[in-house]
Amino acid sequence: MFSLMRYSQWQHCCRRALSMLRNQAYVGGEWRNAGSGETFEVLNPFDGSVVGRVPDMSESDVKLAVDTAQRAFTVGEFSNTTAKERSDLLRGWYNLMVKHAEDLAQIMTMESGKSLAESRGEVKYGNSFVEWFAEEARRVNGEVIQSPVRGREVLLLKQPVGVAALITPWNFPHAMITRKAGAALAVGCTCVVKPSEETPLTALALANLAEQAGFPAGVFNVVTTSPKNSAAVGKLLCEDARVRVMSFTGSTAVGKILYRQCASTIKRLSLELGGNAPFVVFESADIDLAVAGAMASKFRNTGQTCVSANRFFVHENVHTEFVDKFVSKINSDIKMGDGSREGITNGPLIKESQLKMVSDLVNDALTKGAKLHCGGKPLPELGPLFYGPTVLTRVTKEMQIYNKEIFGPVAVINKFSSEEEVLREANNTPVGLAGYFYSKDISQVFRVARKLEVGMVGVNEGLISCTEAAFGGIKESGLGREGSHHGIDDFVDVKYVCIGNVAYQS
């Protein structure tokens, strides 16, 4: 009886989620098809089934979205709304997200393949950015500065930059939109969102809720494109002078292309790009705690996160203990399969190219002498895009996987003997997003936290993302920060106002 009740509840949730699905883009407060009438399929990575079709919008379609966003900013005067008005709109959007949290999670699992548990976690995380920026909207204050000259008042104002283009990835289709859009909308910018072609349905569901929340037409727009049109649309958003800020989350390679394309209009840029996170276990570490952190950091979203632990460095005196406990934990805790089923922890990889890349990297390492502790192959019996959780040791620099961002469920574990050695190896990469290390030595904690060349450090902790903290990297991992009170910085201009000849006596 209990299982029948659970099944009935699941069916009810699925029906509600399906009612939120949209098969049109959202531009200027209207649900629109592409001008060409063309569409593309959205597939469930679990089994390749079609879960929806959305418009394949071209440059002319997206230009219309920029037009309407610009009108909403100027003629529609969204830029002149009060902080309280914007706060109330964001609060209403947040309340609807909370009300429809399960629906959003169901949609996300359908198009991304991640487990319902992970989707629910992302929805809660993504919602928190809208809640945060609803509150932060009323704290975007300027400054009154002491003038060096009598009879002058010196002010610094913070004003919205204008239209914001937000290009978001498939691995966090909810949170990467809300983290950007929440900040942009809080200060009075209007938005054109281009979600990944793999996961547009979550973005359209968010647009549905934004419409219900009462955002004026043209303030929040979502355009959908297939791979055929994606590059041209991205180029248009970069080169259109009316778009004043480009915020992109994705690979470093694509980020560099967008950086170059934005140069012609000297556009504001926020780039959250690739990572190659080191995970260091020092001799003094609590090994059980380190294993728990490794599980969370490495296998979240089946390893498909930019802050995922990618290169493990374990002190030679605790290496065997860590590897044995890590492999045991993997075998006992990870349950791969259809993400819509309760109890599943991990779903498939997102697409065939991702599976091939992971397979090729592991095969190259094994061919050159790496030691396999678990996994090491696809799992076609579960579905076409599953790859088993894998642990490799004895990996050398000649192997392609040694210093590459894997973006899959593969842990490469290296030995080290000294702090100086591991810092040299950990920092030997052109990117620097996140890093993790475990140690009970308080002096070492402060020393290593400062010396790791990354934008974010987890000390004795494997999950570090939260709304209140500034998210972002250094080196080739990007520009700017998202979340926290710093999240609004990329969406405001600071204007200096000097008022002269002020008479202080009548």
Side-chain angles (χ1 to χ4, degrees):
M1 176 63 70
F2 176 75
S3 61
L4 287 174
M5 288 177 63
R6 288 290 299 275
Y7 180 69
S8 176
Q9 291 168 351
W10 175 80
Q11 282 188 314
H12 175 68
C13 288
C14 284
R15 284 194 294 270
R16 279 187 50 181
L18 289 172
S19 72
M20 286 187 61
L21 287 176
R22 289 290 183 269
N23 59 2
Q24 294 175 298
Y26 186 67
V27 176
E30 299 178 353
W31 295 96
R32 297 172 178 260
N33 295 318
S36 66
E38 293 186 10
T39 62
F40 65 96
E41 295 178 340
V42 182
L43 305 179
N44 185 335
F46 168 65
D47 57 8
S49 61
V50 177
V51 295
R53 299 185 69 93
V54 296
D56 189 2
M57 305 191 89
S58 66
E59 294 160 277
S60 59
D61 296 313
V62 176
K63 183 177 181 297
L64 177 63
V66 176
D67 291 343
T68 192
Q70 176 68 9
R71 285 197 302 273
F73 182 77
T74 54
V75 179
E77 295 195 334
F78 187 70
S79 59
N80 292 325
T81 52
T82 68
K84 185 178 187 308
E85 289 170 332
R86 297 191 298 273
S87 176
D88 289 345
L89 284 169
L90 286 166
R91 173 60 65 173
W93 196 24
Y94 166 75
N95 289 338
L96 286 167
M97 289 180 192
V98 172
K99 179 180 178 181
H100 292 278
E102 185 63 19
D103 307 330
L104 291 168
Q106 294 280 351
I107 292 170
M108 195 186 309
T109 289
M110 278 192 287
E111 66 177 348
S112 74
K114 65 173 65 179
S115 71
L116 270 175
E118 290 216 33
S119 292
R120 288 165 181 151
E122 183 186 337
V123 169
K124 186 175 181 180
Y125 175 57
N127 291 355
S128 71
F129 287 107
V130 179
E131 179 186 35
W132 171 266
F133 286 114
E135 299 164 353
E136 200 67 14
R138 302 179 73 172
R139 295 192 287 266
V140 182
N141 300 314
E143 298 176 43
V144 177
I145 297 173
Q146 295 299 316
S147 171
V149 179
R150 290 185 181 184
R152 286 185 186 173
E153 292 290 337
V154 177
L155 313 175
L156 295 182
L157 308 180
K158 289 185 178 179
Q159 297 180 307
V161 297
V163 177
L166 315 178
I167 302 180
T168 58
W170 49 262
N171 55 345
F172 290 96
H174 178 295
M176 295 303 96
I177 291 175
T178 56
R179 192 163 72 187
K180 298 174 187 295
L185 296 168
V187 300
C189 292
T190 55
C191 301
V192 178
V193 181
K194 192 193 91 62
S196 167
E197 57 267 20
E198 275 85 22
T199 55
L201 300 178
T202 302
L204 295 173
L206 291 175
N208 183 4
L209 297 180
E211 182 181 47
Q212 293 180 43
F215 279 95
V219 170
F220 186 78
N221 307 276
V222 177
V223 296
T224 55
T225 63
S226 75
K228 180 181 73 173
N229 287 324
S230 187
V233 164
K235 187 171 187 288
L236 180 146
L237 291 172
C238 287
E239 295 181 350
D240 191 317
R242 295 169 302 169
V243 176
R244 292 312 309 148
V245 58
M246 164 64 71
S247 181
F248 168 74
T249 296
S251 72
T252 296
V254 173
K256 289 180 178 181
I257 293 171
L258 299 180
Y259 203 158
R260 287 192 292 269
Q261 292 175 345
C262 285
S264 63
T265 54
I266 315 297
K267 209 178 300 296
R268 188 79 60 83
L269 272 170
S270 173
L271 301 174
E272 196 267 283
L273 308 177
N276 194 358
F279 189 104
V280 182
V281 181
F282 287 101
E283 186 175 10
S284 67
D286 180 325
I287 300 302
D288 291 332
L289 187 65
V291 167
M295 290 291 293
S297 180
K298 176 69 259 183
F299 295 110
R300 182 186 182 197
N301 200 20
T302 316
Q304 300 172 114
T305 82
C306 55
V307 294
S308 173
N310 201 61
R311 297 169 296 141
F312 287 79
F313 301 97
V314 182
H315 192 276
E316 58 189 5
N317 291 344
V318 295
H319 180 271
T320 299
E321 180 186 0
F322 177 85
V323 171
D324 289 347
K325 288 185 174 181
F326 190 32
V327 172
S328 176
K329 197 74 170 169
I330 290 169
N331 292 332
S332 65
D333 287 13
I334 293 182
K335 303 291 186 293
M336 304 193 86
D338 180 358
S340 66
R341 288 174 47 211
E342 295 291 347
I344 295 297
T345 61
N346 293 79
L349 296 173
I350 189 69
K351 53 189 173 182
E352 179 64 32
S353 59
Q354 200 72 20
L355 178 70
K356 184 179 186 304
M357 183 188 74
V358 172
S359 295
D360 288 349
L361 288 172
V362 172
N363 291 339
D364 172 76
L366 293 176
T367 300
K368 294 175 180 176
K371 182 178 178 180
L372 179 67
H373 294 262
C374 64
K377 61 182 180 180
L379 302 174
E381 65 274 18
L382 295 179
L385 298 177
F386 282 88
Y387 196 91
T390 299
V391 173
L392 298 173
T393 59
R394 300 180 188 170
V395 173
T396 62
K397 295 181 180 180
E398 293 72 33
M399 301 172 188
Q400 296 174 25
I401 205 169
Y402 179 80
N403 203 24
K404 183 176 177 62
E405 185 179 22
I406 302 166
F407 236 65
V410 180
V412 175
I413 304 178
N414 304 285
K415 290 182 182 179
F416 73 92
S417 58
S418 71
E419 183 180 307
E420 293 74 17
E421 173 197 359
V422 77
L423 281 170
R424 184 171 60 250
E425 288 301 313
N427 292 334
N428 185 27
T429 175
V431 294
L433 188 56
Y436 310 86
F437 70 92
Y438 283 72
S439 172
K440 291 180 182 177
D441 182 335
I442 191 64
S443 294
Q444 186 174 62
V445 163
F446 280 95
R447 196 166 57 239
V448 174
R450 290 177 180 275
K451 290 184 178 180
L452 278 177
E453 295 175 0
V454 295
M456 300 174 287
V457 181
V459 183
N460 298 325
E461 180 57 64
L463 285 178
I464 59 174
S465 299
C466 67
T467 309
E468 294 79 6
F471 189 104
I474 62 173
K475 300 197 285 190
E476 292 185 15
S477 283
L479 305 169
R481 291 296 182 267
E482 295 186 340
S484 81
H485 69 275
H486 296 286
I488 63 100
D489 291 348
D490 288 319
F491 300 100
V492 293
D493 286 323
V494 177
K495 178 181 287 184
Y496 162 42
V497 178
C498 177
I499 304 173
N501 298 294
V502 177
Y504 295 106
Q505 294 181 347
S506 58

